[in-house]
Amino acid sequence: EVQLVESGGGLVQAGGSLRLSCLASGFTFDDYAIGWVRQAPGKEREGVSCYSASGNLTYLSNSVKGRFTISSDNAKNTVYLQMNNLKPDDTAVYYCAAGSQCADYWGQGTQVTVSS
């Protein structure tokens, strides 16, 4: 059974940083791509970043380029999202996602709130 458990969300001032973690189980990063999507209040879910099984970055949203970095620790089956220079528009529930194009499985989400 695929499980994705996020942690690391919280409240931060604009310009601050957070690091999200996602502990994956039930598969390895050789099996599926893994990454992050987010959903802001009243908006559709948006892909943030997707990390392919080969270890090459598949996707990084233009809205976070230069500020967010995705990385993984394959030995720990954990993927991270380092978020720097956060903006109020980054406020959303962040979900860990896995599968083909990071679209088949999702965690329960972690709230990120950026105050201005």
Short mmCIF file of all heavy atoms in Angstrom, two decimals, residues 62-101:
data_model
loop_
_atom_site.label_atom_id
_atom_site.label_comp_id
_atom_site.label_asym_id
_atom_site.label_seq_id
_atom_site.Cartn_x
_atom_site.Cartn_y
_atom_site.Cartn_z
N ASN A 62 6.94 27.40 -12.78
CA ASN A 62 7.57 28.70 -12.99
C ASN A 62 7.38 29.62 -11.79
O ASN A 62 8.22 30.48 -11.52
CB ASN A 62 6.99 29.37 -14.24
CG ASN A 62 7.50 28.74 -15.52
OD1 ASN A 62 8.59 28.17 -15.55
ND2 ASN A 62 6.71 28.83 -16.57
N SER A 63 6.29 29.43 -11.08
CA SER A 63 5.99 30.33 -9.96
C SER A 63 6.93 30.12 -8.77
O SER A 63 6.98 30.96 -7.87
CB SER A 63 4.54 30.14 -9.51
OG SER A 63 4.33 28.82 -9.02
N VAL A 64 7.67 29.02 -8.76
CA VAL A 64 8.56 28.76 -7.62
C VAL A 64 10.02 28.64 -8.04
O VAL A 64 10.90 28.45 -7.18
CB VAL A 64 8.13 27.49 -6.85
CG1 VAL A 64 6.67 27.59 -6.42
CG2 VAL A 64 8.38 26.23 -7.68
N LYS A 65 10.30 28.72 -9.32
CA LYS A 65 11.68 28.61 -9.79
C LYS A 65 12.56 29.67 -9.15
O LYS A 65 12.17 30.82 -9.02
CB LYS A 65 11.73 28.72 -11.32
CG LYS A 65 11.37 27.45 -12.04
CD LYS A 65 11.48 27.59 -13.56
CE LYS A 65 11.10 26.30 -14.25
NZ LYS A 65 11.11 26.41 -15.72
N GLY A 66 13.73 29.22 -8.69
CA GLY A 66 14.65 30.14 -8.03
C GLY A 66 14.40 30.28 -6.55
O GLY A 66 15.21 30.86 -5.84
N ARG A 67 13.27 29.73 -6.08
CA ARG A 67 12.94 29.83 -4.65
C ARG A 67 12.78 28.46 -3.99
O ARG A 67 13.13 28.29 -2.82
CB ARG A 67 11.65 30.63 -4.47
CG ARG A 67 11.73 32.05 -5.03
CD ARG A 67 10.49 32.86 -4.67
NE ARG A 67 9.27 32.30 -5.23
CZ ARG A 67 8.24 31.91 -4.49
NH1 ARG A 67 8.28 32.00 -3.16
NH2 ARG A 67 7.15 31.42 -5.08
N PHE A 68 12.21 27.51 -4.70
CA PHE A 68 11.96 26.17 -4.15
C PHE A 68 12.93 25.17 -4.77
O PHE A 68 13.25 25.25 -5.96
CB PHE A 68 10.54 25.71 -4.46
CG PHE A 68 9.45 26.45 -3.74
CD1 PHE A 68 9.68 27.63 -3.05
CD2 PHE A 68 8.15 25.96 -3.77
CE1 PHE A 68 8.66 28.31 -2.41
CE2 PHE A 68 7.12 26.61 -3.13
CZ PHE A 68 7.38 27.79 -2.46
N THR A 69 13.35 24.20 -3.94
CA THR A 69 14.23 23.14 -4.42
C THR A 69 13.70 21.81 -3.91
O THR A 69 13.42 21.66 -2.72
CB THR A 69 15.66 23.34 -3.91
OG1 THR A 69 16.13 24.63 -4.31
CG2 THR A 69 16.58 22.27 -4.48
N ILE A 70 13.59 20.86 -4.82
CA ILE A 70 13.19 19.51 -4.43
C ILE A 70 14.43 18.63 -4.35
O ILE A 70 15.34 18.76 -5.16
CB ILE A 70 12.14 18.92 -5.40
CG1 ILE A 70 11.58 17.61 -4.86
CG2 ILE A 70 12.73 18.74 -6.79
CD1 ILE A 70 10.38 17.09 -5.65
N SER A 71 14.45 17.75 -3.35
CA SER A 71 15.55 16.81 -3.21
C SER A 71 15.03 15.54 -2.57
O SER A 71 13.89 15.52 -2.07
CB SER A 71 16.68 17.42 -2.37
OG SER A 71 16.23 17.69 -1.05
N SER A 72 15.84 14.51 -2.59
CA SER A 72 15.40 13.26 -2.01
C SER A 72 16.54 12.55 -1.30
O SER A 72 17.71 12.75 -1.63
CB SER A 72 14.79 12.35 -3.08
OG SER A 72 15.79 11.90 -3.96
N ASP A 73 16.18 11.75 -0.33
CA ASP A 73 17.11 10.83 0.33
C ASP A 73 16.55 9.44 0.06
O ASP A 73 15.62 9.00 0.75
CB ASP A 73 17.19 11.14 1.83
CG ASP A 73 18.23 10.29 2.54
OD1 ASP A 73 18.52 9.17 2.04
OD2 ASP A 73 18.72 10.72 3.58
N ASN A 74 17.07 8.79 -0.96
CA ASN A 74 16.51 7.50 -1.37
C ASN A 74 16.64 6.45 -0.28
O ASN A 74 15.77 5.57 -0.14
CB ASN A 74 17.18 7.02 -2.65
CG ASN A 74 16.80 7.86 -3.85
OD1 ASN A 74 16.09 8.86 -3.72
ND2 ASN A 74 17.28 7.49 -5.02
N ALA A 75 17.70 6.52 0.50
CA ALA A 75 17.89 5.54 1.57
C ALA A 75 16.81 5.66 2.63
O ALA A 75 16.46 4.67 3.28
CB ALA A 75 19.27 5.72 2.19
N LYS A 76 16.27 6.87 2.80
CA LYS A 76 15.22 7.09 3.78
C LYS A 76 13.84 7.13 3.14
O LYS A 76 12.85 7.35 3.85
CB LYS A 76 15.47 8.41 4.52
CG LYS A 76 16.73 8.42 5.36
CD LYS A 76 16.88 9.75 6.10
CE LYS A 76 18.13 9.75 6.98
NZ LYS A 76 18.30 11.04 7.71
N ASN A 77 13.79 6.94 1.83
CA ASN A 77 12.51 7.03 1.11
C ASN A 77 11.79 8.33 1.44
O ASN A 77 10.56 8.34 1.65
CB ASN A 77 11.63 5.83 1.40
CG ASN A 77 11.25 5.08 0.13
OD1 ASN A 77 12.06 4.98 -0.80
ND2 ASN A 77 10.05 4.54 0.09
N THR A 78 12.54 9.39 1.48
CA THR A 78 12.01 10.69 1.87
C THR A 78 12.34 11.72 0.79
O THR A 78 13.45 11.74 0.26
CB THR A 78 12.58 11.14 3.22
OG1 THR A 78 12.23 10.18 4.21
CG2 THR A 78 12.04 12.51 3.62
N VAL A 79 11.36 12.55 0.48
CA VAL A 79 11.57 13.66 -0.45
C VAL A 79 11.32 14.96 0.30
O VAL A 79 10.48 15.02 1.21
CB VAL A 79 10.66 13.53 -1.69
CG1 VAL A 79 9.18 13.67 -1.31
CG2 VAL A 79 11.03 14.53 -2.76
N TYR A 80 12.08 15.97 -0.06
CA TYR A 80 12.00 17.25 0.63
C TYR A 80 11.64 18.36 -0.36
O TYR A 80 11.92 18.27 -1.55
CB TYR A 80 13.36 17.58 1.25
CG TYR A 80 13.88 16.52 2.19
CD1 TYR A 80 14.81 15.58 1.73
CD2 TYR A 80 13.46 16.45 3.51
CE1 TYR A 80 15.29 14.59 2.57
CE2 TYR A 80 13.94 15.47 4.36
CZ TYR A 80 14.85 14.55 3.88
OH TYR A 80 15.32 13.57 4.73
N LEU A 81 11.05 19.41 0.19
CA LEU A 81 10.82 20.63 -0.58
C LEU A 81 11.34 21.79 0.25
O LEU A 81 10.72 22.15 1.26
CB LEU A 81 9.34 20.82 -0.91
CG LEU A 81 9.04 22.00 -1.83
CD1 LEU A 81 9.59 21.73 -3.24
CD2 LEU A 81 7.54 22.28 -1.91
N GLN A 82 12.47 22.33 -0.15
CA GLN A 82 13.03 23.50 0.52
C GLN A 82 12.41 24.74 -0.12
O GLN A 82 12.54 24.94 -1.33
CB GLN A 82 14.55 23.53 0.37
CG GLN A 82 15.20 24.75 1.00
CD GLN A 82 15.06 24.79 2.51
OE1 GLN A 82 15.24 23.77 3.17
NE2 GLN A 82 14.75 25.96 3.05
N MET A 83 11.76 25.54 0.70
CA MET A 83 11.06 26.71 0.19
C MET A 83 11.68 27.96 0.81
O MET A 83 11.62 28.14 2.03
CB MET A 83 9.57 26.63 0.55
CG MET A 83 8.90 25.35 0.08
SD MET A 83 7.13 25.32 0.38
CE MET A 83 7.08 25.31 2.16
N ASN A 84 12.28 28.77 -0.03
CA ASN A 84 12.92 30.01 0.41
C ASN A 84 12.19 31.22 -0.16
O ASN A 84 11.46 31.11 -1.14
CB ASN A 84 14.38 30.03 -0.05
CG ASN A 84 15.21 28.91 0.55
OD1 ASN A 84 14.98 28.48 1.67
ND2 ASN A 84 16.18 28.44 -0.21
N ASN A 85 12.43 32.35 0.45
CA ASN A 85 11.81 33.60 0.00
C ASN A 85 10.31 33.42 -0.22
O ASN A 85 9.77 33.78 -1.28
CB ASN A 85 12.48 34.10 -1.28
CG ASN A 85 12.08 35.50 -1.65
OD1 ASN A 85 11.62 36.28 -0.80
ND2 ASN A 85 12.23 35.85 -2.92
N LEU A 86 9.66 32.89 0.78
CA LEU A 86 8.23 32.60 0.65
C LEU A 86 7.41 33.87 0.50
O LEU A 86 7.75 34.92 1.08
CB LEU A 86 7.75 31.80 1.86
CG LEU A 86 8.13 30.31 1.81
CD1 LEU A 86 8.12 29.69 3.19
CD2 LEU A 86 7.19 29.57 0.88
N LYS A 87 6.35 33.75 -0.26
CA LYS A 87 5.45 34.87 -0.53
C LYS A 87 4.04 34.52 -0.05
O LYS A 87 3.69 33.34 0.02
CB LYS A 87 5.42 35.16 -2.03
CG LYS A 87 6.78 35.43 -2.65
CD LYS A 87 6.66 35.60 -4.15
CE LYS A 87 8.03 35.87 -4.77
NZ LYS A 87 7.94 36.04 -6.24
N PRO A 88 3.22 35.53 0.24
CA PRO A 88 1.83 35.22 0.64
C PRO A 88 1.10 34.36 -0.38
O PRO A 88 0.26 33.53 0.01
CB PRO A 88 1.21 36.62 0.76
CG PRO A 88 2.35 37.49 1.16
CD PRO A 88 3.53 36.95 0.41
N ASP A 89 1.42 34.49 -1.67
CA ASP A 89 0.77 33.66 -2.69
C ASP A 89 1.16 32.19 -2.59
O ASP A 89 0.53 31.35 -3.25
CB ASP A 89 1.13 34.17 -4.09
CG ASP A 89 0.36 35.42 -4.46
OD1 ASP A 89 -0.60 35.76 -3.74
OD2 ASP A 89 0.71 36.07 -5.47
N ASP A 90 2.17 31.88 -1.81
CA ASP A 90 2.54 30.48 -1.61
C ASP A 90 1.67 29.79 -0.56
O ASP A 90 1.78 28.58 -0.35
CB ASP A 90 4.01 30.38 -1.17
CG ASP A 90 4.98 30.84 -2.24
OD1 ASP A 90 4.76 30.52 -3.43
OD2 ASP A 90 5.96 31.54 -1.90
N THR A 91 0.82 30.55 0.11
CA THR A 91 -0.08 29.98 1.10
C THR A 91 -0.98 28.94 0.47
O THR A 91 -1.68 29.22 -0.51
CB THR A 91 -0.93 31.08 1.76
OG1 THR A 91 -0.07 31.95 2.50
CG2 THR A 91 -1.98 30.48 2.69
N ALA A 92 -0.95 27.73 1.02
CA ALA A 92 -1.71 26.62 0.44
C ALA A 92 -1.52 25.38 1.31
O ALA A 92 -0.67 25.37 2.20
CB ALA A 92 -1.23 26.31 -0.99
N VAL A 93 -2.32 24.38 1.03
CA VAL A 93 -2.04 23.05 1.56
C VAL A 93 -1.13 22.36 0.55
O VAL A 93 -1.44 22.31 -0.64
CB VAL A 93 -3.33 22.23 1.76
CG1 VAL A 93 -2.99 20.83 2.27
CG2 VAL A 93 -4.26 22.94 2.75
N TYR A 94 -0.02 21.86 1.05
CA TYR A 94 0.96 21.21 0.21
C TYR A 94 0.83 19.70 0.37
O TYR A 94 0.85 19.18 1.49
CB TYR A 94 2.37 21.67 0.57
CG TYR A 94 2.68 23.04 0.05
CD1 TYR A 94 2.07 24.18 0.61
CD2 TYR A 94 3.56 23.24 -1.01
CE1 TYR A 94 2.33 25.44 0.13
CE2 TYR A 94 3.83 24.50 -1.50
CZ TYR A 94 3.21 25.60 -0.94
OH TYR A 94 3.48 26.86 -1.42
N TYR A 95 0.71 19.02 -0.76
CA TYR A 95 0.54 17.58 -0.76
C TYR A 95 1.74 16.91 -1.40
O TYR A 95 2.19 17.33 -2.48
CB TYR A 95 -0.70 17.18 -1.55
CG TYR A 95 -2.00 17.72 -1.02
CD1 TYR A 95 -2.48 18.95 -1.44
CD2 TYR A 95 -2.76 16.98 -0.11
CE1 TYR A 95 -3.69 19.46 -0.96
CE2 TYR A 95 -3.96 17.47 0.37
CZ TYR A 95 -4.42 18.71 -0.06
OH TYR A 95 -5.62 19.19 0.41
N CYS A 96 2.21 15.87 -0.77
CA CYS A 96 3.18 15.00 -1.42
C CYS A 96 2.42 14.16 -2.43
O CYS A 96 1.29 13.70 -2.15
CB CYS A 96 3.84 14.13 -0.37
SG CYS A 96 5.16 13.08 -0.98
N ALA A 97 3.00 13.94 -3.61
CA ALA A 97 2.32 13.21 -4.67
C ALA A 97 3.29 12.24 -5.32
O ALA A 97 4.48 12.52 -5.43
CB ALA A 97 1.78 14.18 -5.71
N ALA A 98 2.77 11.11 -5.76
CA ALA A 98 3.63 10.10 -6.38
C ALA A 98 2.88 9.39 -7.50
O ALA A 98 1.65 9.46 -7.59
CB ALA A 98 4.11 9.10 -5.34
N GLY A 99 3.64 8.69 -8.32
CA GLY A 99 3.04 7.94 -9.41
C GLY A 99 3.53 8.43 -10.75
O GLY A 99 4.53 9.14 -10.84
N SER A 100 2.82 8.07 -11.78
CA SER A 100 3.16 8.56 -13.11
C SER A 100 2.89 10.06 -13.17
O SER A 100 1.77 10.49 -12.90
CB SER A 100 2.33 7.84 -14.16
OG SER A 100 2.56 8.38 -15.43
N GLN A 101 3.89 10.85 -13.44
CA GLN A 101 3.76 12.31 -13.45
C GLN A 101 3.25 12.85 -12.12
O GLN A 101 2.57 13.88 -12.08
CB GLN A 101 2.83 12.75 -14.58
CG GLN A 101 3.29 12.34 -15.97
CD GLN A 101 4.60 12.99 -16.36
OE1 GLN A 101 4.81 14.18 -16.17
NE2 GLN A 101 5.53 12.19 -16.86
#
